[in-house]
Amino acid sequence: MNDAQEHGGPARNDEATEQLARDLYEQVRHLNYATGGPPGLTRPSTAYTVLGNLSAAAHGIAQTLTQLDRFLHHELAAGRLGHDQGEDLNAAIHACGQALAGARNDARALSKTTGDAQNAINAVHGPLSPAVGKASPSQLTSEPRAPKQPPRTAGDLAAESFPVPIAEALHASPGSDPAPGEHLPAPQARTSRKGL
């Protein structure tokens, strides 16, 4: 049983494997077009997702390269390879193995650095909802912000979330408690919290 069969993937033949490699190239080509800007790339969250998937793909490519190297060495050891020009098979497979080792290192480095890039923009965001397909790059900037309000105090926040003014509810100045047995008047109903 091979790795694809163990993980529920379909058993493939050489032609299907070649098609997967061609499809990979085509998908990368389409991704290059899509990441050229609007409408395919308008949000930092899209860049984050692309980077994460590129990192995972590069990690997977490193495994593919290892498996190709292993296959060629296995076939060489089994005596099932030949050379069209009659050159030394050992030298050819060794040179291929050296190149694949470098490519594996590059793929691992690509996986790590694209993962690092993804982590770096984890908290970055852009406009909440650009009009996809209708916005020009100059329109994709954030809306002008409202004038900055003065900082709010804890008392302001408490007053906003309390149905009546706090002083009215306590019926006393801050720091004093009602006398034992003293009841506070029922709070008055309010229709708006504005002006508290």
Side-chain angles (χ1 to χ4, degrees):
M1 181 178 282
N2 66 29
D3 191 48
Q5 291 167 329
E6 280 182 25
H7 292 94
R12 300 204 174 262
N13 58 28
D14 286 317
E15 290 75 21
T17 302
E18 291 172 4
Q19 187 60 49
L20 286 171
R22 282 190 290 273
D23 292 347
L24 175 62
Y25 165 74
E26 284 299 317
Q27 291 300 318
V28 169
R29 197 167 67 86
H30 291 298
L31 184 60
N32 288 340
Y33 288 126
T35 56
L41 182 61
T42 62
R43 298 183 312 247
S45 61
T46 303
Y48 178 87
T49 300
V50 169
L51 287 168
N53 283 287
L54 288 175
S55 178
H59 181 79
I61 287 172
Q63 178 181 344
T64 300
L65 297 172
T66 298
Q67 292 168 179
L68 291 171
D69 188 38
R70 185 181 310 137
F71 165 77
L72 291 170
H73 278 88
H74 182 267
E75 294 299 295
L76 177 65
R80 289 191 285 262
L81 298 179
H83 197 290
D84 291 346
Q85 299 167 349
E87 294 182 12
D88 182 15
L89 282 169
N90 287 320
I93 299 304
H94 177 74
C96 179
Q98 292 297 106
L100 287 172
R104 276 193 306 273
N105 290 337
D106 291 345
R108 289 180 184 130
L110 178 62
S111 178
K112 181 189 180 320
T113 55
T114 51
D116 291 346
Q118 181 193 35
N119 288 335
I121 63 168
N122 184 33
V124 173
H125 62 85
L128 296 179
S129 59
V132 175
K134 298 179 182 173
S136 69
S138 63
Q139 294 170 320
L140 293 176
T141 58
S142 297
E143 295 280 327
R145 295 184 184 197
K148 197 169 191 175
Q149 299 295 324
R152 296 171 18 180
T153 65
D156 294 335
L157 295 172
E160 286 178 9
S161 62
F162 206 80
V164 295
I166 292 182
E168 184 180 314
L170 294 176
H171 194 230
S173 62
S176 65
D177 292 329
E182 180 183 355
H183 296 285
L184 297 175
Q188 298 173 348
R190 299 180 65 92
T191 58
S192 171
R193 293 183 182 170
K194 292 190 186 229
L196 292 178

